[in-house]
Amino acid sequence: MLALIETGLRDRSRVRATLGGIGIAGLVAATLVPSIARSPSTYVVGAKTFTEQYVLSALIAQRLRDAGLSAGTREGLGSNVIFEALASNDIDVYVDYSGTLWANQFHHTEIKPRAELLTELKATLARQNLTLLGELGFENAYALVMPKKRAEALGIRSVADLAAHAGTMSIAADYEFFSRPEWAGLRGAYGLSFRAQRQMQPDFMYAAVASGEVDVIAGYTSDGLIAKYDLVVLDDPKHAIPPYDAIVLLAPKRAADQALRAALQPLLGKIDIATMREANLRATGNDGSSSPAAVARWLWEKIGRK
């Protein structure tokens, strides 16, 4: 088109110059049309590095799209990274856990009752221009987990019972746990000292403890693999681990976003622990129905009736 204009100017041909100008105008218009038609705001949903987070981020993205909003996901973010991404508006929304923020992000060592902890956490987040939109309805707390049959044989029902046997046992946890305040809290409260510590991908830990590769794992109370592998969650009578309500957080720039709030409102208070465990178990399969997107659709069908 530029060559046509150049030729037209050189040969003093108004027709050629005009045709070249019209062609360039058409190309510019064709380039701009998709941008004009595109949603003015694309929401980015964050997710941490484990299955439940992938399912929940897919669920949120689907709810946003069904509300006519443009949404994508950014997965595989560590706890500190994802929080900073939200605070800096690099992502718009994600699900965190009250105990993680309380102990790991804000470095509180005292454990408060659930309602009091949530109230104080909401106020702390607000001071950083972050919005705690609400709870999803279930807890995903860290917990020490071992095979039910072995626990019964040793008379282990709680972490206090486990302490007497820990010196001969090995423990496995995810890549964050042993540097987290919850682990320090458990060791301080119960005097835990294991023979060996190992770090594993969360999805591999349950099979490892079920097969005897390790004796105990730091698992998650909402994980469906607990039932699948006939494991038991050990009681925490000293409440060394804080409450872990699944909560929805919004970035500073989304605090007054009514469209976003309206799209997410139907999720709040609707996912109980049994439903989340079943969703997590479904996501461990190897077929098309086990993808995070497929499980998220199943989860919405389940809770959308409530």
Side-chain angles (χ1 to χ4, degrees), residues 19-144:
L19 288 174
I22 292 173
I24 288 178
L27 288 174
V28 171
T31 303
L32 290 177
V33 165
S35 299
I36 295 170
R38 191 183 303 131
S39 171
S41 181
T42 296
Y43 296 86
V44 180
V45 185
K48 299 188 185 186
T49 57
F50 53 95
T51 300
E52 180 173 288
Q53 285 277 302
Y54 301 148
V55 171
L56 292 175
S57 66
L59 176 65
I60 290 174
Q62 288 171 11
R63 292 300 90 221
L64 296 181
R65 294 185 195 116
D66 283 357
L69 305 173
S70 176
T73 59
R74 185 176 299 169
E75 301 173 339
L77 304 176
S79 290
N80 290 330
V81 172
I82 198 168
F83 184 84
E84 293 303 323
L86 188 80
S88 60
N89 291 308
D90 289 331
I91 62 174
D92 299 292
V93 56
Y94 83 101
V95 174
D96 213 324
Y97 305 92
S98 56
T100 297
L101 294 174
W102 182 260
N104 206 47
Q105 189 65 43
F106 299 122
H107 309 295
H108 293 295
T109 55
E110 73 279 21
I111 307 301
K112 296 189 175 185
R114 174 179 175 274
E116 186 179 344
L117 186 148
L118 282 169
T119 298
E120 187 167 332
L121 185 60
K122 188 171 186 176
T124 301
L125 290 165
R127 287 194 289 272
Q128 299 190 22
N129 296 317
L130 299 172
T131 301
L132 195 167
L133 185 64
E135 306 100 65
L136 290 177
F138 72 94
E139 263 192 273
N140 185 2
Y142 271 113
L144 298 191

Side-chain angles (χ1 to χ4, degrees), residues 274-291:
T275 302
M276 197 66 236
R277 279 178 179 164
E278 186 175 351
N280 286 331
L281 185 58
R282 284 172 175 265
T284 63
N286 296 313
D287 56 22
S289 64
S290 66
S291 69

Side-chain angles (χ1 to χ4, degrees), residues 213-227:
E213 185 179 342
V214 294
D215 300 294
V216 180
I217 61 170
Y220 319 108
T221 56
S222 63
D223 204 311
L225 294 176
I226 290 173

Side-chain angles (χ1 to χ4, degrees), residues 179-194:
S179 62
R180 291 174 66 104
E182 295 92 331
W183 175 232
L186 281 170
R187 286 187 301 165
Y190 297 102
L192 292 175
S193 179
F194 286 88

